[in-house]
Amino acid sequence: MLKGMFELKSLPIPGAYLIQGKVLSDHRGDFHKKVHREFFEQNGLEWSFAEQFYSVSHRDVIRGMHFQRPPFDHVKLIYCTRGSAIDVLLDLRKSSPTFGQCVDVRLNAGDGQSIYIPKGIAHGFHSLQNETTIQYSVSTAHEPSCDDGVFWNSIPYDWGILNPALSTRDEKFPAFKDLKSPF
């Protein structure tokens, strides 16, 4: 079952991957597999997740750009189970050749795609439809004292929207130019 179940594609940010999973469909509906220990181990990817959660967003909501500071920084595995979103990654690793750069991936429910996000990357997304549901698996538990972010409109990325719906928390994040990256 493992062979041909996943395809791993490198994204322009080192250590970030698009994982294309095979979607099995029949008269009952669809079946999606998101994590398989052997595949993840063979590719040097974290597969043990401490928490799993999801968000449901209205159209034109932006959530992000979120990360956790060490020692509670974590790997994330992201996928869309309903609706669609533009998922954005920002490299915060000072020693990375792509420090300060962004990459985006469109996620659509049912497409079988997941994004593997390594430690040191801020993450956010723009919901393109009402009730867009994004599933997160993270390698460390949420630690409020290490929770942090970057203001969405201060990064080198054109979100294609002027007045998104934001949380009060996300509105208060520092601009990227003012961030003292812990990575």
Side-chain angles (χ1 to χ4, degrees), residues 6-76:
F6 297 104
E7 181 182 341
L8 190 68
K9 297 177 185 174
S10 295
L11 292 173
I13 292 177
Y17 298 96
L18 180 65
I19 301 173
Q20 178 64 58
K22 187 174 183 181
V23 178
L24 304 176
S25 300
D26 64 21
H27 67 282
R28 301 166 297 163
D30 298 334
F31 177 82
H32 298 252
K33 184 186 285 194
K34 294 298 173 191
V35 178
H36 189 283
R37 184 181 73 203
E38 184 180 340
F39 173 83
F40 276 59
E41 285 178 348
Q42 287 173 355
N43 289 284
L45 305 177
E46 178 69 45
W47 63 270
S48 178
F49 297 104
E51 286 187 333
Q52 193 172 66
F53 46 91
Y54 66 92
S55 64
V56 179
S57 301
H58 301 298
R59 180 186 172 117
D60 289 336
V61 164
I62 289 181
R63 293 184 187 258
M65 298 292 294
H66 304 145
F67 65 93
Q68 276 202 162
R69 293 178 174 273
F72 293 96
D73 48 334
H74 50 223
V75 166
K76 290 182 181 178

Side-chain angles (χ1 to χ4, degrees), residues 38 63 73 76-77 87 104 120 143-144 158 167 179:
E38 184 180 340
R63 293 184 187 258
D73 48 334
K76 290 182 181 178
L77 183 68
D87 208 88
D104 66 351
E143 173 51 52
D158 180 2
S167 71
L179 181 74

